[in-house]
Amino acid sequence: MTLRGKQKRYLRSQAHHLRPLFQVGKEGVSIGWLNQIREAIEKRELIKINMLQNATVDTNEVRVFIESNSSIQVVQVIGHTLVLYQAATDVENRDISDKVNLLA
């Protein structure tokens, strides 16, 4: 599902108060790291990732890695912070995605 402008705007507003749950450091990104992201996003639907100063990859490389290896969408990139979204498959965890679907 491709997000529309209103949906992205809503997700950015919901992510404003969130603190980053994951960091990318000198080890970069890997499939194991991405699996941890998938588990967290399944429960929360919306998370932030922070890039540390000693990271060997930049935000664009992380964005491409995440989007090409999963169905997670990068909603926003601000400086060294990425906002990620994916609708939960479990109905009990769906809170944000229900509201996003109404904006379609």
Side-chain angles (χ1 to χ4, degrees):
M1 172 182 151
T2 303
L3 296 172
R4 303 180 121 186
K6 284 183 180 182
Q7 293 169 321
K8 285 184 180 181
R9 206 170 18 245
Y10 174 76
L11 290 170
R12 287 193 304 259
S13 71
Q14 294 299 306
H16 178 73
H17 71 281
L18 296 178
R19 290 184 179 249
L21 285 181
F22 290 92
Q23 297 177 337
V24 177
K26 65 182 179 181
E27 299 296 320
V29 292
S30 66
I31 297 298
W33 176 81
L34 186 58
N35 288 337
Q36 290 179 347
I37 298 278
R38 284 185 185 128
E39 289 174 12
I41 210 163
E42 176 61 32
K43 294 184 179 174
R44 293 186 168 96
E45 294 188 316
L46 189 67
I47 62 171
K48 280 186 179 179
I49 294 176
N50 190 26
M51 305 282 297
L52 298 177
Q53 288 181 351
N54 64 349
T56 57
V57 292
D58 65 357
T59 54
N60 192 36
E61 291 172 326
V62 174
R63 176 186 196 141
V64 169
F65 179 80
I66 291 171
E67 289 181 340
S68 63
N69 293 311
S70 68
S71 59
I72 299 171
Q73 296 182 31
V74 178
V75 176
Q76 182 181 33
V77 177
I78 288 192
H80 296 287
T81 304
L82 288 87
V83 177
L84 308 178
Y85 167 76
Q86 182 181 11
T89 55
D90 188 6
V91 178
E92 293 178 3
N93 294 335
R94 288 185 192 163
D95 182 37
I96 296 173
S97 61
D98 290 339
K99 296 173 185 169
V100 168
N101 291 334
L102 291 175
L103 295 172

